[in-house]
Amino acid sequence: MTALTDAPVVVDEAVGTRRPRPRRRSLAWLGAVPFLAYAFLFLVLPGVSVIVSAFQNTNGSFTTQWVRDLFQGQFLSANVNSLELAALSAITGGVVGFLAAYAVVTLGRPRWLRSFVTTFSAVAANFAGVPLAFAFVATIGSEGAMTKLLENALGVNISSFNLVSVTGLVVVYTYFQIPLMVLVVAPALDGLRREWREAAANLGASATQYWLRVGLPVLAPSVIGAMLLLFASGFAAYATAVALTSGLVNLVATLIGNYLSGNVIAQPQMGQALGLDMLVVLFVAVGLYLLLQRRASKWVR
Amino acid sequence: MSAASATTAASAELATARLRPRRARAPLGEGRARVAKAVWLGLVSLYFVIPLAATAAFSLEGEHGSYTISAYTQILSSSAFSSAFLLSLRLAIETIVLAVVLVVPTAYWVRLRLPKLRPVMEALSFGPFVVSPVVLAVGVENVFRKAPSWFIGSPNILVVLYVVLSFPFLYRALDAGLRAIDVHTLTEAARSLGAGWALTLWRVILPNLRTAIISGALLAFAIVMGEFTIASLLLFNTFGVYIETVGMTAATGAAALALISFALTWLAMGGLVLVLGRAGGGKGSVARQVQIGVTR
């Protein structure tokens, strides 16, 4: 997660070019060819093919019709739902996760707390997809264990809460968003040095002033960047949504899946256009994350 | 609930910081602030524990309020489970081997001789987050639709794509590992003693990157064992797809599988933390490597 360029690169360059052997250097590029070819074939090429196909008719001629259709009807509402889901789950997970990470980092004791939370976060952030969806169905679904327990013990009926909705998905996605936030933001919190706080206090700053003028400005790039990352993962998530909703909630990810698996036969090119749609959203979110990360790395050791 | 207690925690923290003169070794969180933080962590952990506990209870439900482990015995003895599980296990091992063979020499070589390529590698390591699994599946279908069936029609295609999904994690681990050792001196020492490139890589570089390779491999394992998106869109019956199929028919079975899958993830991540902890990777190293964990 370091900046794209850093000091060692310069050093390496100096060492690498110390020996003036032009023939060797031309051969050195060959060493990277297998990997680059692989990445081109199975990552870049598929990505580019989606972009190109989104602008093609079935006979191969150029058209912008599919892309224009993205802003209409069912496709527009899928975008609205997906953006809403990604944003809400990123904000909820971001705020809760940030405060949890802050608590863990500043509590310090007991010693095992930090490593336990990190491990658990690593597990929970990776516990996405189908199993996560089923866990929530088994918990607060209409027949879920928690639903029954609340009904029998307290007489509280939560069966009206619908997991198959954008709100339901937000509740489920938060399960992997919070730990993801903890993992991404904890190093930034480590970078917040105690001396700054003491220096501010010595200069007569109140705690509020410290946070407004020092703490938050230093943390802002990391926190916003982390939330953009959560946004991207919320927008791209497919497995959890499919397992939970079977496509009943209109989302970009599940619509793409419907086109690809042939559940929708009309206008097959819309699958490509929706793919482009997701590609653009993720590119913007991840790109902004990287820019902010570069800014944040000034403070994070 | 969350927002209110969060504010309490924050303001309590600010209040104590202002009112109390700090004792010599007093940590930042103190007294009331410590309590507020602990309460907050307790509330957050409820959100994580309840679904697991409820899923466990649900998976043990028998008829008329009784409890039974039949959901587990049925699954573990079914041939559909073992064939799907073994397929995913095979894919995971093949993915790890192919990824290590492809990425380790490249990362080493880039570090040693092609530093100008580092930004390209960094950019590619974010590729799978921009070309998400759904989009990758669409693109692969576009490009390889007419490829021979031993490739597109067999699980081999999944191995190839899982290597792409694992690449960011393996590369990040290797990059950190390579930065921690003096690649140039080690290489020159080995070469001057007469070792060829292959021997240098195998006997000198590889042992020094053991931690990085193992942690990258464990992350790849967790990814492959849980992967659903690409496998289901390209119509292969992996463990992830099997779990979803069971969910359509048997609710308690699905809950049991959710827990089994959770345990598998714990196994991989616990192993990761153990490996990194023994290597003394420091506080942030685990966090840095699993940061962008969600590729589903």
Side-chain angles (χ1 to χ4, degrees), chain A residues 1 12 28-29 35 38 49 99-100 102 106-107 125-126 128 131 134-135 139 171 175 180 197 211 238 272 278, chain B residues 6 13-14 34 37 40 47-48 51 55 58 106 109 117 130 132 136 142 160 167 184 229 243 261 291 293-294 296:
Chain A
M1 221 42 41
D12 286 353
W29 286 96
F35 175 79
Y38 190 97
S49 86
L99 290 171
Y102 178 77
T106 54
L107 271 176
N126 280 289
F134 288 166
T139 307
V171 171
Y175 202 92
L180 195 56
R197 190 169 194 161
W211 277 107
Y238 171 81
Q272 309 288 337
M278 180 176 278
Chain B
E13 153 72 11
L14 296 180
R34 280 188 74 83
K37 284 172 190 171
W40 171 246
Y47 170 76
F48 285 94
T55 306
F58 189 89
T106 311
W109 196 242
L117 223 57
V130 176
S132 64
L136 190 60
N142 287 343
V160 168
F167 165 66
H184 295 99
T229 307
I243 296 179
S261 165
Q291 256 172 30
V294 183
R296 299 179 197 166

Side-chain angles (χ1 to χ4, degrees), chain B residues 59-60 68-76 252-253 256:
Chain B
S59 71
L60 296 170
T68 167
I69 57 162
S70 70
Y72 291 88
T73 51
Q74 262 177 30
I75 283 168
L76 293 176
T252 52

